[in-house]
Amino acid sequence: MASSYEYDDPSYDSRSYPPSSSQASDQGYDPNFVPDSVKTFVVHLYRHIREKNVYEIHQMYEGSFQRLSDRMFRESPWPSVEAVAPYVDNDHVFCLLYREMWFRHVYARLSPTGRQRVESWDNYCSLFGVVLHGVVNMQLPNQWLWDMVDEFVYQFQSHCQYRAKLKNKTEEELQLLRQYGQAWNVYGVLNYLQALVEKSMIHQILEREKEGLEQFTATDGYDYEGGSNVLKMLGYYSMIGLLRVHCLLGDYSTGLKCLAPIDISQQGVYTVVIGSYISSIYHYGFANLMLRRYVEAIREFNKILLYILKYKQYHQKSPQYDQILKKNEQMYALLAICLLLCPQTKLVEENVSAQLKDKYNEKMLKMQRYDDEAFAVYDELFSYACPKFITPSAPVLEEPLTNYNQVVAFFIAYHVDCIESAFDSSSSLLGIFTISIKGQPAQEAPAIAGFEEGQMCGEAVSCFESVISRLQWRNLTVTPRLISSLQHLLFGLIIYPVFQLSNYGSQINFPIKMAIPHILLRPGGVTDQHAGSLQDAYRLQLKLFLYEVKQQQLLASVRSFLKLYSTISIGKLASYMEVDEPTLRTILMTYKHKMHSVDSDGKIIPNTDVDFYINEDVVHVVEPKSTKRYGDYFLRQILKFEEMISELDRVKLD
């Protein structure tokens, strides 16, 4: 098989990692024992890969592997790669592929150890290194190649979550994190995905396809002339992987740019594998939601939800079926949010609209009121439907018990009731923060508004020392890094001169600048167990989202009045809304701003079905006439009749 791959190193020379103690000691599990059914599986899979028999590879990958896992390895790993290597001629590339499936099984059914996470990263580096720098002459099913990229991103996300929770880590696990600090580094993950995109030249392939010079979509990315589809399809799916990673990091614009070569509005290779299709649209729609491109998000959510509604029964035996149902529910929640922020019911199909009402009609009615209960529902739906955001930076392992991830967020959420910011451009201070501490009289809160340039008020120092004392009272070690983190979180600003806190022997440097804390501090919102940078990343996105919702608080009432009139004077509309005219003009400008967005090409696009312009203190309403789509209606009725006929054909008459 080595000659089949045309790779320089035909032998499997893996670094022999000792089996993880937790699983090597499992009763009945011997990593070196290979059952006959597994021997048969690897031998046949190896032969089919050599013969480029994509159909048989897919059957074994999707069928046999899952059945063997269910029957024999439900609670244990597969045999080690060292044990099966002799049955496949010690082929280097096949062993890397087997090891990739081995780790995927461990992540899916077991709990991977810290060492296994590092080993999996090392295996991906070796596998992608072969693809990028060798000549891999084989064809693999698109499902497997998509799973490879999808699992790569998932394991990166999982590792970020794993390393952020330091409280229950043993010294051995902490040492492993220190020793392999570059494993699953965000730059490494992004570099591999970007390298696959560039080396595959997938951008040029898609451009040539638009010009009619190459066939890619028509062949589903396969090469029927004896070549390989591996690099080409890994590059294609890596664009979707980059979108997902950037969404996890909160960089939505960059994520959409990475996906730009794929025309989401058309059927493509990304729709062939349902996991790829759902992941693409979910992250694409969520990114557009966060960028206020609601119309685009609604259109794509409607399309994928209609697809799942029609075809989900065909995937019931798929191992991804549960994930399909979960993403389906999440996208209905995101669609409900989009329709509340930007009513565009005409873009939603009748069947999808009916499903949406069944699931979220009561909550959508509450969300229309924009009171505290409405914001709570927005919070609930966003928290349920959003990705599991991550923080790319690793925690400080030298101070695990007093690190920002475990102490600062917990302490601040416990003691700080609220942080409200106001801005005064005439003041030498760029930010003014009012902080109220639970259980303390109001006068004990720091008088930060009394700061002057180059000086720190005594009340602020007193409150800061009170915070440090509380930490010491809780038997927590106070370190310079902890003090610095507290300053940023608690005060949100810094002043140039250096001040000495005599009791702690640590200097505090404060340059003048405003720094809004990157967490949404809510009483009881962070617990000792879950505090950390992951919660901070989630709370930042939640804070930005709820801030956007709050800004649109008055827009629903404006829209309801505009729907009733073709023209209305500013004064009359202001009296209806019970505000003065200058305030109404501000609200109308907000409506204009919020109901328009900028697309990836820099063009301003409308997001509303009701627009207006003002001429001589009169609001002129422009409501575009919608074109009735009779064709879609008749197609839906035809499909319904076909279903009825097929059901009648199955009825047996006496």
Side-chain angles (χ1 to χ4, degrees), residues 48 65 68 111 138 154 200 246 254 285 291 440 539 617 633:
H48 293 318
F65 182 74
L68 286 172
S111 180
M138 62 181 178
Y154 166 73
S200 66
H246 286 297
T254 303
L291 293 174
Q440 293 187 5
R539 291 184 183 283
D617 292 337
Y633 174 80

Side-chain angles (χ1 to χ4, degrees), residues 128-234:
F128 290 156
V130 169
V131 175
L132 289 169
H133 305 299
V135 180
V136 181
N137 185 22
M138 62 181 178
Q139 297 243 44
L140 292 179
N142 287 343
Q143 179 70 60
W144 193 348
L145 295 171
W146 160 249
D147 287 344
M148 209 177 290
V149 174
D150 186 53
E151 184 71 13
F152 180 64
V153 177
Y154 166 73
Q155 291 187 20
F156 162 64
Q157 179 185 4
S158 175
H159 186 76
C160 290
Q161 296 168 341
Y162 168 79
R163 73 185 179 190
K165 299 175 181 178
L166 300 179
K167 180 182 176 183
N168 298 320
K169 295 285 188 296
T170 64
E171 183 57 37
E172 181 183 356
E173 291 173 321
L174 293 174
Q175 182 58 35
L176 198 67
L177 288 174
R178 295 188 191 100
Q179 183 178 355
Y180 299 100
Q182 293 303 310
W184 297 110
N185 178 277
V186 63
Y187 295 112
V189 171
L190 291 173
N191 285 340
Y192 270 116
L193 293 174
Q194 188 60 40
L196 288 169
V197 172
E198 293 176 359
K199 187 68 181 287
S200 66
M201 301 183 68
I202 190 63
H203 289 181
Q204 293 84 340
I205 291 174
L206 294 176
E207 285 297 324
R208 288 171 57 83
E209 184 181 40
K210 291 179 181 177
E211 298 171 2
L213 302 176
E214 187 161 346
Q215 284 191 336
F216 178 74
T217 304
T219 62
D220 292 338
Y222 291 108
D223 191 324
Y224 293 107
E225 297 179 358
S228 172
N229 71 327
V230 174
L231 177 59
K232 184 167 54 177
M233 290 307 302
L234 284 178

Side-chain angles (χ1 to χ4, degrees), residues 23 26 29 69-70 72-77 105 109-110:
Q23 291 175 346
D26 286 349
Y29 173 67
S69 297
D70 290 335
M72 304 180 64
F73 305 107
R74 185 181 297 273
E75 297 179 354
S76 65
H105 172 78
R109 295 175 182 263
L110 309 171

Side-chain angles (χ1 to χ4, degrees), residues 383-481:
S383 301
Y384 169 70
C386 70
K388 294 181 179 179
F389 300 107
I390 58 176
T391 299
S393 58
V396 182
L397 300 174
E398 287 73 19
E399 302 171 5
L401 294 180
T402 57
N403 149 354
Y404 169 82
N405 292 346
Q406 294 200 353
V407 176
V408 177
F410 165 65
F411 176 78
I412 295 299
Y414 183 83
H415 286 286
V416 178
D417 188 23
C418 64
I419 293 182
E420 296 177 350
S421 59
F423 302 95
D424 183 1
S425 57
S426 63
S427 171
S428 60
L429 259 169
L430 299 180
I432 300 173
F433 290 77
T434 304
I435 301 178
S436 58
I437 307 296
K438 276 189 172 183
Q440 293 187 5
Q443 61 267 24
E444 292 188 22
I448 295 180
F451 274 177
E452 294 179 4
E453 194 167 348
Q455 119 180 30
M456 188 178 195
C457 66
E459 293 89 341
V461 175
S462 175
C463 180
F464 187 82
E465 292 186 347
S466 173
V467 169
I468 298 296
S469 298
R470 287 169 178 262
L471 283 172
Q472 290 181 327
W473 176 73
R474 289 174 168 270
N475 297 320
L476 296 174
T477 305
V478 177
T479 65
R481 182 175 182 83

Side-chain angles (χ1 to χ4, degrees), residues 189-428:
V189 171
L190 291 173
N191 285 340
Y192 270 116
L193 293 174
Q194 188 60 40
L196 288 169
V197 172
E198 293 176 359
K199 187 68 181 287
S200 66
M201 301 183 68
I202 190 63
H203 289 181
Q204 293 84 340
I205 291 174
L206 294 176
E207 285 297 324
R208 288 171 57 83
E209 184 181 40
K210 291 179 181 177
E211 298 171 2
L213 302 176
E214 187 161 346
Q215 284 191 336
F216 178 74
T217 304
T219 62
D220 292 338
Y222 291 108
D223 191 324
Y224 293 107
E225 297 179 358
S228 172
N229 71 327
V230 174
L231 177 59
K232 184 167 54 177
M233 290 307 302
L234 284 178
Y236 184 86
Y237 288 133
S238 290
M239 291 189 289
I240 303 172
L242 284 168
L243 168 64
R244 179 178 172 185
V245 172
H246 286 297
C247 281
L248 295 176
L249 298 173
D251 188 358
Y252 307 110
S253 297
T254 303
L256 291 178
K257 288 179 182 177
C258 292
L259 196 70
I262 300 177
D263 188 358
I264 289 293
S265 64
Q266 301 294 327
Q267 293 288 314
V269 178
Y270 74 99
T271 64
V272 174
V273 178
I274 189 169
S276 163
Y277 191 14
I278 291 175
S279 181
S280 302
I281 301 301
Y282 169 77
H283 291 97
Y284 179 82
F286 185 81
N288 279 289
L289 165 63
M290 297 301 285
L291 293 174
R292 292 193 293 108
R293 302 172 186 172
Y294 303 117
V295 171
E296 186 67 19
I298 292 170
R299 184 181 294 114
E300 295 307 320
F301 282 142
N302 170 73
K303 183 171 68 175
I304 187 65
L305 290 171
L306 187 63
Y307 174 86
I308 295 174
L309 190 63
K310 289 181 178 179
Y311 299 108
K312 65 180 179 182
Q313 66 268 21
Y314 300 114
H315 299 276
Q316 290 180 355
K317 295 183 179 180
S318 170
Q320 301 175 339
Y321 186 66
D322 291 339
Q323 187 67 15
I324 292 171
L325 295 182
K326 180 181 177 181
K327 286 299 178 194
N328 182 64
E329 296 300 316
Q330 287 180 315
M331 287 189 286
Y332 270 113
L334 293 176
L335 179 60
I337 291 173
C338 290
L339 290 175
L340 264 297
L341 296 177
C342 177
Q344 288 282 1
T345 54
K346 295 176 182 178
L347 295 177
V348 181
E349 293 286 343
E350 181 182 348
N351 294 340
V352 175
S353 181
Q355 290 286 320
L356 183 64
K357 289 180 180 179
D358 290 341
K359 297 176 186 293
Y360 293 111
N361 187 53
E362 183 178 346
K363 291 183 178 180
M364 291 177 71
L365 292 175
K366 292 179 181 178
M367 292 161 72
Q368 292 176 356
R369 297 200 295 263
Y370 288 95
D371 53 12
D372 291 341
E373 187 178 6
F375 286 115
V377 178
Y378 272 109
D379 186 332
E380 177 190 345
L381 291 186
F382 181 86
S383 301
Y384 169 70
C386 70
K388 294 181 179 179
F389 300 107
I390 58 176
T391 299
S393 58
V396 182
L397 300 174
E398 287 73 19
E399 302 171 5
L401 294 180
T402 57
N403 149 354
Y404 169 82
N405 292 346
Q406 294 200 353
V407 176
V408 177
F410 165 65
F411 176 78
I412 295 299
Y414 183 83
H415 286 286
V416 178
D417 188 23
C418 64
I419 293 182
E420 296 177 350
S421 59
F423 302 95
D424 183 1
S425 57
S426 63
S427 171
S428 60

Side-chain angles (χ1 to χ4, degrees), residues 37-87:
S37 55
V38 175
K39 292 178 187 177
T40 304
F41 171 79
V42 295
V43 168
H44 282 78
L45 181 61
Y46 174 60
R47 188 182 77 238
H48 293 318
I49 291 178
R50 289 187 62 182
E51 296 171 352
K52 297 184 180 180
N53 191 335
V54 177
Y55 176 80
E56 290 297 336
I57 297 171
H58 184 268
Q59 292 299 313
M60 297 196 70
Y61 173 77
E62 277 284 277
S64 302
F65 182 74
Q66 298 300 328
R67 286 192 294 271
L68 286 172
S69 297
D70 290 335
R71 191 171 77 245
M72 304 180 64
F73 305 107
R74 185 181 297 273
E75 297 179 354
S76 65
W78 275 61
S80 66
V81 68
E82 293 83 5
V84 302
Y87 302 104

